[in-house]
Structures are given as structure tokens and as C-alpha cells.
Amino acid sequence: MGRQINLTGLGPVFRGRDAVRAGALRQGQLRGSAVRRLFQGVYSQASVAQTHELYCTAAGLALPPSAVITGRSAATLRGVALARPQDPVEALVPLEARVVRGSGLAVRRTTVHRDDWVSWSGLRLATPQRMALDLL
């Protein structure tokens, strides 16, 4: 019989390596039915509802800390539901940052200024002005 998985304390999304280090699960259990892979190395419990907000939070773990959530994703986080759960998370990434592109992300590399974003639940979220520019 397999070992129980205890993901309490890991939050709605988590890095697989952190869950393994914490002893919540084994590496092989990341491919099991109890967790859902959202991005490379980033997971949620399979029972957590898939929302675009959840994917934005997961993108914050998958992208470099200098990335900014923008466009329809930022609008959805601000309460205007422009993105569906399956839509890619839109993000800006500074030119010098290293990014692993993957499914579920729409990344645009550009110069990111300090006045382009605000802190939001551990993420960098585009200001309304920057979000509007990217929506256009």
C-alpha cells in the first residue's frame, strides 16, 4: 500500500521540489492522481478548482521573480473576468531574465519599469495603466 500524501501547509499551489523536501510526498507521487501539474515544477492538489487566478499564482512560482502578470490575466486578478481557466497566463519578463517557456504561458520580453507593477499576493501585477496598454 502506498504512503499517504499530506499536502497541508503547502498552499493552493506549490513547487514539487518543496513538497518533496518537506516530506509531503515522494518524487514519483508528483505524477499521481492526487496532484495536478500546472507548469514545469509547479503543482496543485487535484481537488483544487482550476481557475485563471490559480494559474496566475502558479505562474508566479514558474516565472522569474521579476516577471509581471499583465493583460487579461491582470484584469481577471483585478476582478474583471476576461480570462478563462484554460487561457494562457499573460506576463511581461525583463529582457535580461532567463525564462523557460511552456504551455499555458504567454510571455513577452520587454523592459519592465518599477512603475509598471504593484505587489499583489506575492506576485508583481501590472498597474491599471500598464494592463490597459497591454490589452490594447
Side-chain angles (χ1 to χ4, degrees):
M1 187 160 188
R3 195 182 97 178
Q4 283 289 84
I5 295 176
N6 180 6
L7 299 177
T8 56
L10 290 177
V13 297
F14 55 90
R15 287 185 179 100
R17 68 174 184 244
D18 295 340
V20 170
R21 270 193 217 129
L25 46 79
R26 293 184 310 272
Q27 185 70 33
Q29 291 173 310
L30 291 172
R31 293 182 297 278
S33 60
V35 298
R36 175 184 299 125
R37 181 179 179 272
L38 303 176
F39 296 110
Q40 181 177 345
V42 180
Y43 301 83
S44 73
Q45 294 182 46
S47 60
V48 173
Q50 285 185 305
T51 64
H52 195 73
E53 293 87 341
L54 180 78
Y55 279 94
C56 289
T57 302
L61 294 176
L63 291 169
S66 56
V68 176
I69 304 299
T70 193
R72 293 182 306 148
S73 297
T76 299
L77 291 175
R78 291 182 177 277
V80 181
L82 295 182
R84 299 167 298 175
Q86 67 272 20
D87 289 338
V89 174
E90 297 178 22
L92 302 174
V93 177
L95 297 169
E96 66 278 2
R98 299 181 90 195
V99 180
V100 176
R101 295 187 186 237
S103 177
L105 294 170
V107 175
R108 197 169 86 232
R109 298 175 64 89
T110 187
T111 302
V112 177
H113 301 283
R114 174 58 190 103
D115 59 351
D116 285 338
W117 59 272
V118 296
S119 292
W120 180 88
S121 295
L123 298 173
R124 288 182 172 191
L125 183 64
T127 61
Q129 296 84 359
R130 180 66 208 212
M131 177 185 69
L133 174 67
D134 293 333
L135 282 168
L136 292 173

